[in-house]
Amino acid sequence: MRVTVIAGGVGGARFLRGLRSHLREAYPNGDGGSTAEITAVVNTGDDMWLTGLRVCPDLDSIMYTLGGANDDERGWGRQGESERVSAELTAYGIGWPWFTLGDLDLGTHIARSSFLRDGLTLTEATARLSERWPLGVRLLPMSDQPVETHVEIVVDGKRRIVHFEEWWVKHRAAVPAQRFIQVGVDAAHPTPAVLHAIEHADVIVVAPSNPVVSIGTVLGVPGMRAALKAAKAPVVGVSPIISGAAVRGMADACLTAIGVETTAVAVGKHYGSRARGGLLDAWLIDETDAPGAAVLAAAGIPTTVVPLWMNDPATSAQLAADALAAARR
Ligand code: GDP
Ligand code: CA
């Protein structure tokens, strides 16, 4: 059983943790692990060079969460880290004072930057970083070419283009985004490892991640949509929107910017039915959104209604099981 998951940071990480736990039960290898293989194709549009280091927020959220080291309370970074180095960098006037990098997290960025400077690709560097963690999931950046999401905003009557993280973290997405720009996307392509994981998957899951700046960015890499369309495996998506709201985070601000309503129905239609040239063979929406199932079915998207909150390991594992069951249908 090979499952390939298209993912962003927090929503992707939570889903992957549930999927790993479900597959360990459903396909045990007798050693606490699973004979099933999970590959995550991860958004790298939030990546940046900061204080001379390559930072990959979504890859790291997933790595720390699956490695059991994520600071779940804060939502990012590592448990038990201090910010002494970050304070020092601020004192030197480099970096972004509103984007604190904890000391343990900085260790990851230093190691990654070192691998990249040795000439490794991001895929290879990610594999090296993953070696020390018991992930049970193969992490693949969507592309080895840098693609950076920038956002056009208007501040004090002036048009400005800022890095996605500046809009997201500094402005808390409160300044309306005029548009998103994928800098570098024209020269990017999915890695051979990503294409292989899509082609040879038994099931492909679109995680409950931000539809615009996580999933949308992955889909925007030239060749990605074609690979998904050509895949033999069913593609099942999990709605990141429950009861008309982004569960955690500010996905609604991103959807509004691209003119899509913040509802499970609108996001499902935005992805579209694979039979009609879109992405999805199946779509999972929450019980509170059940009335939308008929609308989605009419749009050619077979829809399953299940609880979508990933509150703890049990609910996350059940959601993963439900997604695989929907794919089988
Ligand atoms: P980011 O890169 O850290 O912003 O994370 P992602 O792109 O992977 O996912 C963020 C989105 O995940 C949020 O905006 C929510 O819509 C969604 N999400 C977070 N927690 C849950 C959950 O428990 N259930 C569902 N269905 N979606 C969730
Ligand atoms: Ca992200």
Side-chain angles (χ1 to χ4, degrees):
M1 177 69 162
R2 283 164 299 195
V3 185
T4 296
V5 181
I6 315 287
V10 172
R14 282 172 179 257
F15 182 81
L16 284 162
R17 189 166 54 184
L19 178 64
R20 180 180 66 181
S21 127
H22 166 65
L23 290 175
R24 280 176 178 166
E25 282 215 346
Y27 299 86
N29 69 356
D31 207 15
S34 173
T35 58
E37 288 170 27
I38 309 174
T39 304
V41 174
V42 181
N43 169 46
T44 54
D46 306 353
D47 295 9
M48 75 208 96
W49 287 101
L50 200 60
T51 66
L53 303 173
R54 192 66 178 162
V55 181
C56 301
D58 288 3
L59 281 166
D60 290 343
S61 287
I62 296 178
M63 188 168 77
Y64 297 155
T65 300
L66 294 175
N70 195 60
D71 187 334
D72 280 344
E73 241 164 68
R74 200 170 42 163
W76 46 273
R78 297 269 298 275
Q79 292 157 16
E81 61 186 352
S82 79
E83 293 173 357
R84 294 183 67 198
V85 179
S86 200
E88 204 60 10
L89 294 170
T90 303
Y92 282 117
I94 65 163
W96 292 331
W98 40 267
F99 197 83
T100 310
L101 297 169
D103 299 350
L104 301 180
D105 192 22
L106 276 161
T108 302
H109 310 321
I110 293 170
R112 174 187 295 116
S113 306
S114 170
F115 290 140
L116 293 174
R117 286 171 66 156
D118 286 346
L120 270 62
T121 62
L122 182 60
T123 299
E124 292 164 340
T126 304
R128 289 288 293 277
L129 294 174
S130 300
E131 272 169 27
R132 76 170 273 212
W133 302 97
L135 297 186
V137 171
R138 186 163 175 234
L139 290 189
L140 297 177
M142 64 187 194
S143 176
D144 280 332
Q145 288 77 41
V147 176
E148 278 190 11
T149 303
H150 290 195
V151 188
E152 185 180 309
I153 54 175
V154 178
V155 183
D156 299 330
K158 282 203 195 84
R159 215 160 267 280
R160 283 187 59 205
I161 308 261
V162 298
H163 189 282
F164 169 73
E165 294 290 356
E166 181 170 346
W167 178 65
W168 194 249
V169 179
K170 185 179 172 190
H171 297 285
R172 308 294 307 157
V175 187
Q178 308 295 317
R179 64 189 173 110
F180 297 101
I181 306 152
Q182 258 71 54
V183 178
V185 74
D186 292 343
H189 46 81
T191 63
V194 164
L195 293 175
H196 188 274
I198 291 173
E199 188 183 339
H200 297 282
D202 295 308
V203 177
I204 298 171
V205 184
V206 179
S209 287
N210 189 308
V212 185
V213 293
S214 291
I215 305 299
T217 307
V218 177
L219 296 177
V221 177
M224 194 69 79
R225 276 184 188 273
L228 288 164
K229 269 182 195 149
K232 294 181 299 290
V235 178
V236 54
V238 180
S239 174
I241 304 301
I242 300 178
S243 314
V247 180
R248 299 178 174 86
M250 307 166 281
D252 46 341
C254 301
L255 286 165
T256 304
I258 64 159
V260 174
E261 253 184 272
T262 303
T263 65
V265 169
V267 174
K269 283 185 168 175
H270 172 66
Y271 286 152
S273 150
R274 186 142 80 134
R276 300 184 189 176
L279 180 67
L280 301 172
D281 294 302
W283 183 233
L284 268 59
I285 64 172
D286 188 68
E287 293 164 321
T288 56
D289 295 313
V295 183
L296 287 156
I301 304 169
T303 300
T304 303
V305 179
V306 290
L308 290 195
W309 279 92
M310 299 181 285
N311 288 326
D312 50 46
T315 50
S316 308
Q318 184 57 47
L319 177 57
D322 291 339
L324 298 188
R328 277 193 290 275
R329 283 196 292 276

